[in-house]
Amino acid sequence: MTNTVRPYVSISRILFFLFLIHLVFNLEKLIFINEVFSFIGLMYFLTKFSSVNYIEKVNFYVILMFIVFLIYSVFSFLYMSEASTYQFFRTVVFVYSIPAFFLGSYFIKSGVFNSHIIFQKFNLFFAGASVLAFLYGGRMANSVALTLFIQNAKLAKLALLLFLLGFAFIKGGGTSFVFLVSYILFLFLVRVDFFGSSVRKGITSIWFLFAIALFFFILLDYTGNYLVQATNGTIDGNSIWRIKFWSYLVSYVSHHGLITGIGFGTPIFDATNSMTQFIIAASPNDPDLPYTIGPHNSYLYVFARTGLLGSILFAIPHWLLFRKVLRHQLYKDNGVFFASFAMLLCIDMAMFNVVLESPMLSSIYWIVFGMLNQYTSLANKSRIIIT
């Protein structure tokens, strides 16, 4: 038997190299990279249709979610949309970006992280570049970049902790501290084997977080405006703006589209309502604002567009993936550990910023989601073989 030597230059490595650059420097405004990645992910899925493991539940529900949301967006365009073509497509970014999930899976399947020592050096180079970009640029993409690239370095977990600590105190901002606290908590729970000591305990913790989210949802619907008044300026303007927007959006959707949402191509807020003038003040001369702005919580945005049914469908693959990671203690695998935290960073960011609905960041979310799913599949196969 002869060993097949894979060429160093390949499509997977070129695409991954492009992904690295995008993470650090964000290429969306230059070459519409979000749409490029989504299209390539879709083409990969269609060309590898027969080889995709549909029995694997996460794959199945991601495909189902994409098909359902795509059909709903077409229906909205034909019967509900009040928007121009540009405005409509800005409301469906999180839908057409979903196929980037399969590009993330492809990256791990092709072994781009560990296939060549030179490429591993590129990982470390981009880890350093992401630090510089983080200090002078955004937060999510570069934090995700650092988390993924640093995994092959010595003392990677300690180094990531020090970097995030430095980011929080040098860069500042609530998001940086959320990332730091998330990593410390995640590292602690894994270190003490919290999840492994009891599978039921790990699953219960997820349900606990879900209960908090549900309580938060109800709180916004009924007492959001009172919270804003009660703060009396004691929290920063960004926080007040978010609370007011979230409160308005939950209340509005609950009364105008609780089950199926307000659809796509419709304004996310009523510009004629006196309660929404604080949103317009963010960009008073922008006629596209009701279609392009997000509430700085991507999951509320998904709820607004697709209602309770869409939110449940959206949540299922996330729930299944993290349950698999916890149930089989796959976080003990190095790749799964760092990919899991990269996904947690995406989730943290999506809870307080514009991510899924933004062409700047949406494909990054789905690519990391696909990478984590593929990492867990590989780790699960290794666990079965070993046991």
Side-chain angles (χ1 to χ4, degrees):
M1 180 182 294
T2 59
N3 292 326
T4 301
V5 179
R6 296 180 60 191
Y8 179 64
V9 178
S10 64
I11 294 177
S12 63
R13 289 171 184 159
I14 292 173
L15 289 174
F16 189 69
F17 190 77
L18 193 61
F19 177 60
L20 305 187
I21 298 175
H22 175 53
L23 278 173
V24 178
F25 302 110
N26 205 302
L27 304 176
E28 174 62 20
K29 292 184 178 180
L30 294 177
I31 57 174
F32 297 103
I33 197 67
N34 180 80
E35 289 69 29
V36 170
F37 283 153
S38 301
F39 178 76
I40 293 175
L42 179 61
M43 291 300 100
Y44 175 76
F45 166 68
L46 293 176
T47 55
K48 302 293 183 179
F49 188 82
S50 59
S51 62
V52 174
N53 183 7
Y54 301 102
I55 299 177
E56 205 281 319
K57 291 183 179 179
V58 176
N59 284 337
F60 173 81
Y61 279 103
V62 168
I63 296 169
L64 178 63
M65 174 176 60
F66 175 61
I67 293 174
V68 171
F69 287 169
L70 184 62
I71 292 174
Y72 188 33
S73 62
V74 172
F75 176 84
S76 296
F77 180 76
L78 295 175
Y79 300 104
M80 300 170 63
S81 178
E82 308 168 7
S84 66
T85 302
Y86 167 75
Q87 292 171 339
F88 172 80
F89 277 102
R90 278 303 306 269
T91 66
V92 295
V93 171
F94 86 86
V95 176
Y96 70 66
S97 299
I98 293 174
F101 167 88
F102 297 102
L103 181 59
S105 297
Y106 173 59
F107 285 154
I108 304 307
K109 284 182 179 180
S110 60
V112 290
F113 268 107
N114 304 305
S115 56
H116 197 286
I117 186 63
I118 297 178
F119 208 78
Q120 292 181 33
K121 296 297 183 182
F122 275 130
N123 287 349
L124 296 179
F125 166 76
F126 276 98
S130 67
V131 174
L132 296 176
F134 185 95
L135 293 176
Y136 296 100
R139 291 177 172 84
M140 173 189 143
N142 298 297
S143 300
V144 169
L146 181 61
T147 302
L148 293 174
F149 304 152
I150 205 173
Q151 63 178 278
N152 289 320
K154 294 180 180 179
L155 301 175
K157 294 177 182 178
L158 176 61
L160 182 58
L161 175 61
L162 294 176
F163 279 130
L164 291 175
L165 188 65
F167 291 163
F169 287 96
I170 296 174
K171 184 72 174 181
T175 303
S176 299
F177 280 96
V178 169
F179 287 173
L180 175 61
V181 172
S182 296
Y183 184 65
I184 293 174
L185 181 60
F186 182 62
L187 196 62
F188 172 76
L189 293 177
V190 170
R191 186 72 175 175
V192 300
D193 202 20
F194 172 82
F195 304 114
S197 62
S198 172
V199 172
R200 185 173 298 176
K201 187 186 296 183
I203 303 302
T204 301
S205 65
I206 296 182
W207 281 113
F208 177 70
L209 293 175
F210 174 77
I212 292 177
L214 182 62
F215 173 76
F216 181 66
F217 177 91
I218 296 173
L219 190 68
L220 283 176
D221 191 20
Y222 292 100
T223 64
N225 290 325
Y226 296 103
L227 282 174
V228 174
Q229 296 173 8
T231 58
N232 195 27
T234 57
I235 57 177
D236 66 272
N238 283 333
S239 299
I240 294 176
W241 188 92
R242 282 169 169 79
I243 292 174
K244 291 178 70 174
F245 201 159
W246 297 349
S247 175
Y248 165 79
L249 192 59
V250 169
S251 179
Y252 178 76
V253 176
S254 296
H255 294 89
H256 294 86
L258 179 63
I259 304 302
T260 60
I262 61 175
F264 301 95
T266 54
I268 198 71
F269 67 90
D270 181 3
T272 63
N273 191 323
S274 60
M275 294 287 291
T276 64
Q277 297 310 300
F278 72 97
I279 304 175
I280 298 175
S283 185
N285 299 317
D286 184 3
D288 299 325
L289 190 67
Y291 303 92
T292 59
I293 197 170
H296 284 62
N297 184 314
S298 292
Y299 305 113
L300 274 182
Y301 187 86
V302 173
F303 163 72
R305 292 293 176 195
T306 65
L308 283 179
L309 292 180
S311 297
I312 292 171
L313 183 58
F314 181 89
I316 288 175
H318 291 75
W319 157 254
L320 291 173
L321 181 55
F322 279 102
R323 186 183 67 170
K324 182 169 61 173
V325 171
L326 297 180
R327 174 170 290 178
H328 302 302
Q329 301 179 45
L330 300 181
Y331 48 81
K332 294 182 177 180
D333 176 87
N334 197 57
V336 174
F337 176 89
F338 284 99
S340 294
F341 182 64
M343 191 65 225
L344 285 177
L345 288 176
C346 292
I347 292 173
D348 282 346
M349 191 72 174
M351 289 180 65
F352 302 102
N353 294 277
V354 179
V355 175
L356 288 168
E357 65 273 39
S358 167
M360 303 287 285
L361 300 172
S362 190
S363 64
I364 295 175
Y365 183 100
W366 292 112
I367 287 174
V368 173
F369 192 48
M371 292 172 70
L372 175 58
N373 186 53
Q374 190 60 35
Y375 264 129
T376 58
S377 297
L378 294 176
N380 202 29
K381 289 179 181 178
S382 299
R383 181 187 67 85
I384 293 173
I385 292 174
I386 292 174
T387 56

